Amino acid sequence: MKIGKITNQYVREFLAETLGTFALVIFGDGAVAQVVLGNAARGNSFFGGFLNISFGYGLALMIGICISGGVSGGHLNPAVTLAMAVFKNLKWIQVPIYMAGQYLGAFLAALVLWGEYADAIKIVELGQDPANSGSYTSATHGIFASYPFFGTSQVTTLSLAMDQVLGTAMLLIIILAVTDNKNMKIQSSLVPLTIGLGLTAIHLSFGLNAGSAINPARDFAPRVLTILAGWEEPFKAASSWFWIPWLLPHVGGVLGAGLYKVMVGMHTKDGE
């Protein structure tokens, strides 16, 4: 059966963002799942810790950009898409198309990951409570979405909000610096790896307070999956904090992009 080439630019960008974000979440959350479930099942740290997750998500972003970058630019993050539109690197009509693909890709990845690790999740839940006949608890909800490390009675909402703004701002600064041909002139083949390592750096530096989501699609869409699948109160946990990693990265993305433009981008010169 012959499949015709899709010529509509917006459809191609939607498909690219969907598959790219799917790869980002399936490998990124997959790294989280292996650490959480593997260590809980074995009763030791054989499957590593946050370092594994940090590099897992960085490599996941690299893979996602490699998959989609040549078609859509490989945003894979609504905060990146909004920032690009604000600073005229993307048409506003493309914003909902990109974001729809990102949320869909993240949801589908979470769905597949849930199926992949369904038995392991059940083993860990039964290990926490042998009387648990099928419900999911906080022992495993962090596989799919981010939650504050400290209780909300210990860390203020302002701190959590600043965490997401700062992390996303740094991500946009990294992305714009790496893709700025008037700056370090990084070869296009090295762009995915360099941005991926930038995300790893953010996880290693700012993962404590809130888990370093800094991507509304990566956090919100899998969170929707968890409530549909039966996890306990994913939207009410931590004093209903879900809106912070969902909304605040958009602010951080625009802020970071603006800082790069004003402090670096406006002052670079064309190469000889």
Side-chain angles (χ1 to χ4, degrees), residues 26-40:
I26 199 75
F27 286 115
D29 281 2
V32 179
Q34 183 160 274
V35 169
V36 171
L37 300 174
N39 290 345

Side-chain angles (χ1 to χ4, degrees), residues 223-244:
R223 194 183 298 271
V224 171
L225 182 278
T226 59
I227 196 169
L228 295 176
W231 263 269
E232 295 178 349
E233 302 183 338
F235 285 94
K236 294 182 179 179
S239 302
S240 299
W241 104 292
F242 77 92
W243 64 272
I244 294 177

Side-chain angles (χ1 to χ4, degrees), residues 114 121 125 135-144 147 225-234:
W114 176 39
I121 291 172
E125 291 289 357
S135 63
Y136 298 131
T137 69
S138 60
T140 56
H141 68 185
I143 294 170
F144 299 95
Y147 295 88
L225 182 278
T226 59
I227 196 169
L228 295 176
W231 263 269
E232 295 178 349
E233 302 183 338

Side-chain angles (χ1 to χ4, degrees), residues 79-80 82-84 86-87 161-174 176 247-263:
V80 174
L82 178 63
M84 294 301 177
V86 168
F87 291 97
M162 289 178 61
D163 176 276
Q164 291 299 290
V165 170
L166 174 61
T168 316
M170 295 310 301
L171 177 63
L172 264 294
I173 290 172
I174 292 166
L176 291 178
L247 299 179
L248 271 297
H250 297 93
V251 177
V254 173
L255 177 62
L259 284 173
Y260 181 82
K261 294 286 187 182
V262 170
M263 300 184 73

Side-chain angles (χ1 to χ4, degrees), residues 65-124:
I65 295 172
C66 285
I67 289 171
S68 60
V71 177
S72 66
H75 293 186
L76 318 181
N77 184 335
V80 174
T81 296
L82 178 63
M84 294 301 177
V86 168
F87 291 97
K88 299 181 180 180
N89 292 327
L90 190 75
K91 297 177 182 177
W92 282 103
I93 193 174
Q94 294 171 281
V95 171
I97 296 168
Y98 273 58
M99 289 187 178
Q102 292 155 4
Y103 279 102
L104 176 62
F107 181 85
L108 292 176
L111 181 63
V112 171
L113 194 66
W114 176 39
E116 168 70 14
Y117 282 114
D119 292 336
I121 291 172
K122 185 181 297 184
I123 290 169
V124 171

Side-chain angles (χ1 to χ4, degrees), residues 178-259:
V178 169
T179 57
D180 187 350
N181 291 326
K182 298 178 181 179
N183 195 340
M184 292 297 293
K185 299 180 176 63
I186 295 174
Q187 295 182 9
S188 60
S189 60
L190 293 177
V191 166
L193 176 60
T194 309
I195 294 175
L197 289 175
L199 180 63
T200 293
I202 293 169
H203 274 71
L204 291 174
S205 300
F206 305 115
L208 176 60
N209 282 346
S212 194
I214 61 173
N215 183 333
R218 163 263 180 274
D219 190 86
F220 187 82
R223 194 183 298 271
V224 171
L225 182 278
T226 59
I227 196 169
L228 295 176
W231 263 269
E232 295 178 349
E233 302 183 338
F235 285 94
K236 294 182 179 179
S239 302
S240 299
W241 104 292
F242 77 92
W243 64 272
I244 294 177
W246 183 30
L247 299 179
L248 271 297
H250 297 93
V251 177
V254 173
L255 177 62
L259 284 173

